Amino acid sequence: MSEKPAIDHAFRAKELKGGAADPTYAGALSFMRRKYSRDLTNVDVAILGIPLDITVTNRPGARFGPQAIRRASAIFDGDPQYPWGIDIFENLAVVDYGDVDLPLHHPEKLTAAIEAEIETILSAGAHLFTLGGDHYSTWPLLKAHAKRHGPLALIQFDAHQDTWDDDGSKLSHGSFVLRAVREGIIDPERSIQIGIRTHAPETCGIEIISAYDWQRMHADETADRIAERVGDQPAYLTFDIDCLDPAFAPGTGTPVSGGPSSAQALMTLAGLKTVNFVGGDVVEVSPPYDHADITAIAASTVAQHYLGLLALKRAGR
């Protein structure tokens, strides 16, 4: 008789690759049951949580986002992953690196603490996907990735442009894009924002697909437009969950009606097979305003789709 797979795969896994077999209702809740580890030897992708919400301008609670996304991701455990139809961990070694230890009582040290954790992961040669946390988290993430790859093409799914006035030092989740353009961290001519349905003072030369225009387009058409804009430039994905209509993502700090469904957003993301992704994140999940984990499930599926894209490239598909 074969040995029964051990529950609590997050701690007891002997291999980095391959799916887990924990029941969806039990076991340690790492992201998609990946092994918790800070040993990055032979690791392809590290999942990092940034439990931050001190820079929000409306409803707080995004510090609980990484925890909620991990919990929601248990539903994927042990199955061939839709829409790919494969075990995305067959050839892709992924670990859950845990969370950044944030110095919340010393906000002046916040950015440096996040950057240090990111640098540790990237220096080990691992690809990084991050669970937020509010959208300020993307600022140190962009800086760290640009140090390694040069100016990045930003693919931003969001209800907001995040190009509000910035003095170069304030902690805000609504101005990091303007700062990144000013400092040459992202290339606006290769960057694109999808789902926008608010007006900010600056576009920074970034192409915008508004929420209404997006919903008039087929998901494949949107994906082709994104890929054309980005070209072969190293690309960073940031997915603010408020990109989705509040009907599909009520658990977020600044919800805006008139957005797309989770299905439309995920179909668009799944179409980005040719994009040269070097890193990504999903942010702004605020569980206190969620219902039945709707928002956390959507965010975990964004992360699952991103890993699927990496797995497809690894498999040469």
Side-chain angles (χ1 to χ4, degrees), residues 35-40 46-49 70 95-100 117 120-121 128:
K35 184 176 183 179
Y36 271 118
S37 179
R38 297 218 162 187
D39 179 359
L40 296 173
I47 306 296
L48 175 70
R70 288 184 173 104
V95 299
D96 191 324
Y97 194 80
D99 289 349
V100 178
E117 206 78 85
T120 297
I121 295 169
L128 176 61

Side-chain angles (χ1 to χ4, degrees), residues 107-130:
E108 73 281 0
K109 299 178 181 180
L110 188 68
T111 307
I114 297 172
E115 283 188 53
E117 206 78 85
I118 297 166
E119 287 288 350
T120 297
I121 295 169
L122 297 183
S123 295
H127 192 109
L128 176 61
F129 190 85
T130 304

Side-chain angles (χ1 to χ4, degrees), residues 14-38:
K14 297 178 181 178
E15 303 291 339
L16 296 179
K17 295 179 181 177
D22 293 35
T24 56
Y25 55 83
L29 292 172
S30 62
F31 182 76
M32 289 186 72
R33 308 291 192 177
R34 294 302 86 200
K35 184 176 183 179
Y36 271 118
S37 179
R38 297 218 162 187

